[in-house]
Amino acid sequence: MPTIAHWVDGKPYSGTATATAPVTDPATGAVTGRVALASTQDTRTVIEAAAAAFPAWRDTSLSRRTEILFRFRELLNQRKPELARIITGEHGKVVSDALGEVSRGQEVVEFACGIAHLLRGGMTENASTNVDVASIRQPLGPVAIISPFNFPAMVPMWFFPIAIAAGNTVVLKPSEKDPSAALWMARLWSEAGLPDGVFNVVNGDKTAVDELLTNPSVKAVSFVGSTPIAEYVYRTATAAGKRVQALGGAKNHAIVLPDADLDLAADAAVNAAFGSAGERCMAISALVAVGGIGDELVAKIEERSRTLRIGAGVRDNDMGPLITAAHRDKVASYIDAGEHSGAAVVLDGRSVEADGGADGFWLGPTILDHVTPDMSVYTDEIFGPVLSVLRVNSYDEALELVNASPYGNGTAIFTNDGGAARRFQNEVEVGMVGINVPIPVPVAYYSFGGWKNSLFGDSHAHGAEGVGFFTRGKVVTTRWLNPSHGGLNLGFPQTS
Ligand code: NAD
């Protein structure tokens, strides 16, 4: 049974701790490896490597950094099928979806290849007589990235390409449920010529996370995961004086107005609810049917959902298993609770027959109709293939529902009425909005992030906000001596 170690200074590092956790193939239930769980001391060793590599990396020229980024991009592009299969083996998502995840991460690498342009400062000549002012952006130091299980490649790539391009060094703490993608990317960085110690991986659980949040050498933390942990990370790391962006959980609504193209809306609902078995922070888990379209819309969604092939991601299936048996059981218990509270089970994933191992963590697509806002299946983030349908009478009622949610990650509206769509984009209290687009994940040169309990901190991920997060500004005011000395003046400096 392979032990999945850490990655420090350009090579694997076993650490001194003996604790490990099992890593499973969710399509068979088989344990395929054991991941090392770092002790506090192991985590310090990794942070120290990142701190030691920082001075030389921050002073490495932008052209050299860009050259390495381009090489990383080329290698990633050539070998992404390899990475996709690693993701499928530990996460369970189908290979085509894993490839999509890698491609979306690659977009951020491509964005970071423009770092020379992104870091360009400003300069003003003669702000005062013979005085020039320039603004520059500098890296922070070692930064920590703590990522969730559901995007083991893309979520780390929301952050590390920009962090590294900007001159920081990185410690990545991937999810202990699917850690191998992080190590594969670490090897790729070495192959691309990144100096040792610039990109490091520490595997572990709360012990490793707590050290990353409080160790004084770590200057910033990018976290993605569930809302309670995001809030904990934000509070702990900001109290330790760090810059933090902590992206949390979600409950994303799609509103379907009576004038919408119902076939388009039904396709979108199926894709967004059941893609990656609903284990996406941008999944649509609540569908709000406005006016009298509920029956027709639900029938269209049900018809499409019944055609989905559920099974092992390495074969030609549409939807894979859930991440663990415990998570599958938890999601199933929400379906039980919804049924007991009076929701109609239109499609029941609890009795799925999957093209996979008998011990795989299977749960099929589930549609619950006539869900009401007091049901736990609606109030809680379930993170599984469960679509709740709510019925309301008006646009205002639908908007009220979305805005009352404690989460504000993504949302979508389906309509052919431009005025209604425009009103929605203006009024909805959510960070990412789709108009006839079900999963509105922004492209890399825009920034990704939710509102309310879906993000703690001020900066969204990647795009201009990502560059801002991983750098700090400095303004330099310069005067070169000339023959006219000004003499003493204790007043506050003014332009003249
Ligand atoms: P999680 O919160 O359980 O774990 C996230 C990370 O935190 C992991 O690296 C984990 O090891 C660590 N962690 C877990 N418990 C901890 C603790 N008690 N103290 C310190 N660290 C701890 O999340 P998950 O189950 O891996 O991922 C799913 C969640 O992530 C969902 O809630 C989903 O919505 C969210 N997510 C959000 C976004 C977003 O952009 N907002 C993107 C992807 C996933």
Side-chain angles (χ1 to χ4, degrees), residues 147-150 173 176 206 223-226 248-249 281 381 383 448:
S147 56
F149 80 82
N150 67 322
K173 207 297 285 171
E176 60 274 44
K206 181 170 165 46
F223 171 90
V224 181
S226 57
C281 66
E381 180 184 39
F383 224 53
F448 181 108

Side-chain angles (χ1 to χ4, degrees), residues 253-340:
H253 299 69
I255 295 178
V256 185
L257 295 187
D259 70 316
D261 177 332
L262 294 191
D263 288 302
L264 174 89
D267 285 345
V270 174
N271 297 342
F274 304 134
S276 199
E279 291 173 331
R280 290 180 182 146
C281 66
M282 291 292 275
I284 292 292
S285 52
L287 189 80
V288 186
V290 179
I293 58 169
D295 288 347
E296 190 184 350
L297 183 60
V298 170
K300 284 177 185 290
I301 295 171
E302 182 193 353
E303 185 192 345
R304 287 161 168 78
S305 303
R306 286 191 186 277
T307 67
L308 296 178
R309 293 157 303 172
I310 317 306
V314 289
R315 289 194 288 278
D316 191 19
N317 288 305
D318 298 308
M319 194 186 107
L322 298 194
I323 184 72
T324 59
H327 185 58
R328 186 261 324 271
D329 295 345
K330 186 173 165 204
V331 176
S333 75
Y334 273 107
I335 304 172
D336 298 343
E339 189 174 24
H340 291 141

Side-chain angles (χ1 to χ4, degrees), residues 212-226:
L212 291 169
L213 303 184
T214 51
N215 187 301
S217 292
V218 175
K219 302 304 176 198
V221 176
S222 298
F223 171 90
V224 181
S226 57

